Amino acid sequence: MTATLKDVANRAGVSTSAVSRTFTDGASVSLKMRRKVEKAAAELGYSPNFLARSLTTRRTKLIGLVSNNFHNPIFLQVFDLFTRGLQDRGLRPLLVNLSDEVDPENSLRMLQQYSVDGAIVASSTLPPVFSKAFRDQKLPVVHTFGRYSSSPDVHAVGIDNVVAGRMAALELVERGYKKVAYLGGPQSATSAQDRLEGFERELSHHPNIKQSHSYAAAYSFEAGRTEMLRLLKENPAEAYFCADDVLSIGALSAVKDMGLRVPEDIGIIGLNDMEMSGWENINLTTIHQPIRQIISSSIELMVAMLDEPDRYPEARLFPCRVVERGTLRPRS
C-alpha cells in the first residue's frame, strides 16, 4: 500500500505537522528534523500528495499554459522551455489548446475547473480579450509574445514587433532590393499588424522602392507555401519579409516548386530564428527573437504575481538582431 504522511511520522518518531512542514516550500524546520523525516520517507517510498495539500493551502501550483498555434514547430521549443522552467520553480504546467476557441469566457471556465493559480497566454494570435478576461476574474496572467503597450492592461513579455518590421525592411534596403513585399500571418494577429506597420514605416523613407503586402491564413508551413505560390504566379517581388520562420520555410518550398532560386531570383528574410532555420537545407536569414529570455522573464513575472496578485502590469521588451545565412543576396 502507498505510504501516508502518518506512516512517515511514525517511522521518524515525529508529529505529522513536522512531516508536512518538511515537504512544504519555505516552512520552518530544523536540519536534524528534515534529515530524519527524509530518511523515513525514503525508506517507505513516500511522496507528498500535492492534490491533497492543495485542499488545505488553496494553492494547486497549477499554471495554465494557454496557446492556439500548434501548427508552428517553434512552439515545441516554447512549450519545452515553459514546462521545464515552471517545473524548476515547483509549479506544474497545464497545457490548454485554444485553437478553435473564440469565447474567452469558455476558456476562463475551463481554467477555473482545474483551479489553476495563474495563466500564461503564450500566443501572439490570441486576441488580448483572453488575457483581460482572466485578469478581470483576479486570475494572475502573463501574456507572452503579447502586443507591446506603454500602459499595458496585463503583464506582457516579448519584442517590439514594429521595430522588428523596420529592421527587416532596412535589411532589404541595404541589400539593394527595389521591389519588396511583406508576407504576414493571419491579418487578425497583432504581431502581423505590427510587423507590417514597422515594415511600411521604414520603407516610407525610401520612396524609390516599390512595396506590397499580403497575409497567409495561419503561421504555418502550408499557409506560407500556398500564399507564396499565389504571389509568384502574379507579379512577384524581388524579396520578401515573411513575418515568421515557418512561413518563410513554406515560401522557400514554393519558390523551389516554381523553378526559381534563392537568393539569386528571390530573397527571403524570416523572423524568430527557430532551430530549423539554421539547418543546412534551409539556411534562412532571419531576425532572432530571444525566446529563451522571453520565457524566463514570463515565468519570473508569474512567480512574482503568485505572491503579489495586485502587482502593477508591466511590459518587458527584448531586443532582436539579424542572423545572416543564405537567403538574401549580399549587401551592395
Side-chain angles (χ1 to χ4, degrees), residues 3 12 61 65 73 76-77 82 85 92 98 129 148 153 180 185 195 225 241 263 281 304 326:
K61 295 195 174 184
L65 183 53
L76 293 174
Q77 177 185 355
F82 260 126
R92 297 189 293 280
L98 297 186
V129 292
Y148 169 71
D153 295 311
V180 301
R195 290 167 191 175
R225 184 176 181 280
F241 169 37
N281 62 325

Side-chain angles (χ1 to χ4, degrees), residues 80-158:
D80 176 55
L81 291 171
F82 260 126
T83 52
R84 286 193 287 120
L86 288 167
Q87 289 165 182
D88 287 345
R89 297 295 193 106
L91 301 170
R92 297 189 293 280
L94 175 69
L95 190 59
V96 180
N97 185 345
L98 297 186
S99 294
D100 299 317
E101 186 56 74
V102 295
D103 184 356
E105 295 303 322
N106 289 339
S107 308
L108 178 62
R109 281 192 291 272
M110 179 165 52
L111 291 172
Q112 289 172 330
Q113 286 173 353
Y114 286 96
S115 299
V116 299
D117 288 340
I120 295 175
V121 179
S123 172
S124 65
T125 56
L126 276 175
V129 292
F130 280 81
S131 297
K132 292 176 185 176
F134 303 157
R135 175 210 62 188
D136 291 346
Q137 291 299 312
K138 308 300 182 184
L139 181 67
V141 59
V142 177
H143 193 165
T144 307
F145 311 117
R147 191 175 214 170
Y148 169 71
S149 169
S150 58
S151 54
D153 295 311
V154 301
H155 293 282
V157 186

Side-chain angles (χ1 to χ4, degrees), residues 9-319:
N10 290 337
R11 173 66 68 95
V14 301
S15 66
T16 54
S17 63
V19 177
S20 179
R21 290 199 308 276
T22 298
F23 292 105
T24 300
D25 294 338
S28 176
V29 60
S30 70
L31 180 59
K32 181 179 178 180
M33 178 74 75
R34 180 179 298 280
R35 286 175 174 169
K36 185 185 295 187
V37 171
E38 288 178 345
K39 181 175 182 292
E43 290 171 354
L44 293 170
Y46 170 78
S47 296
N49 187 326
F50 290 108
L51 291 177
R53 181 181 298 171
S54 70
L55 297 176
T56 303
T57 63
R58 294 180 162 243
R59 293 280 289 269
T60 63
K61 295 195 174 184
L62 279 173
I63 303 298
L65 183 53
V66 180
S67 192
N68 65 333
N69 191 8
F70 285 73
H71 315 80
N72 196 331
I74 196 170
F75 276 89
L76 293 174
Q77 177 185 355
V78 168
F79 294 146
D80 176 55
L81 291 171
F82 260 126
T83 52
R84 286 193 287 120
L86 288 167
Q87 289 165 182
D88 287 345
R89 297 295 193 106
L91 301 170
R92 297 189 293 280
L94 175 69
L95 190 59
V96 180
N97 185 345
L98 297 186
S99 294
D100 299 317
E101 186 56 74
V102 295
D103 184 356
E105 295 303 322
N106 289 339
S107 308
L108 178 62
R109 281 192 291 272
M110 179 165 52
L111 291 172
Q112 289 172 330
Q113 286 173 353
Y114 286 96
S115 299
V116 299
D117 288 340
I120 295 175
V121 179
S123 172
S124 65
T125 56
L126 276 175
V129 292
F130 280 81
S131 297
K132 292 176 185 176
F134 303 157
R135 175 210 62 188
D136 291 346
Q137 291 299 312
K138 308 300 182 184
L139 181 67
V141 59
V142 177
H143 193 165
T144 307
F145 311 117
R147 191 175 214 170
Y148 169 71
S149 169
S150 58
S151 54
D153 295 311
V154 301
H155 293 282
V157 186
I159 62 172
D160 188 330
N161 284 296
V162 175
V163 171
R166 296 192 70 161
M167 189 180 295
L170 187 59
E171 199 68 23
L172 299 184
V173 169
E174 290 180 346
R175 292 169 190 266
Y177 292 107
K178 299 301 181 184
K179 186 178 181 182
V180 301
Y182 170 83
L183 172 53
Q187 190 169 358
S188 60
T190 59
S191 54
Q193 297 165 12
D194 291 349
R195 290 167 191 175
L196 174 60
E197 179 185 340
F199 189 74
E200 292 184 331
R201 189 182 296 178
E202 177 59 40
L203 291 174
S204 68
H205 303 303
H206 308 276
N208 60 315
I209 297 178
K210 294 181 180 179
Q211 60 170 295
S212 59
H213 69 269
S214 65
Y215 296 95
Y219 282 124
S220 70
F221 171 88
E222 194 56 44
R225 184 176 181 280
T226 298
E227 182 60 16
M228 182 57 80
L229 283 172
R230 185 188 71 81
L231 293 169
L232 293 176
K233 291 173 183 177
E234 295 183 357
N235 188 18
E238 295 176 346
Y240 291 85
F241 169 37
C242 298
D244 183 275
D245 284 354
V246 73
L247 289 178
S248 302
I249 295 170
L252 288 170
S253 174
V255 171
K256 181 179 179 181
D257 284 355
M258 294 294 289
L260 300 171
R261 298 169 301 163
V262 175
E264 293 84 354
D265 302 314
I266 301 286
I268 291 177
I269 182 171
L271 192 153
N272 271 334
D273 193 27
M274 65 181 185
E275 183 181 355
M276 289 173 61
S277 302
W279 292 359
E280 186 177 354
N281 62 325
I282 296 175
N283 200 30
L284 177 67
T285 297
T286 188
I287 295 172
H288 175 79
Q289 179 171 204
I291 290 172
R292 187 176 297 273
Q293 292 92 325
I294 289 170
I295 290 172
S296 178
S297 183
S298 298
I299 294 172
E300 178 187 305
L301 269 175
M302 177 53 62
V303 170
M305 290 183 72
L306 295 178
D307 293 328
E308 188 185 350
D310 296 327
R311 184 185 178 99
Y312 194 79
E314 63 177 287
R316 295 185 178 182
L317 290 183
F318 289 82

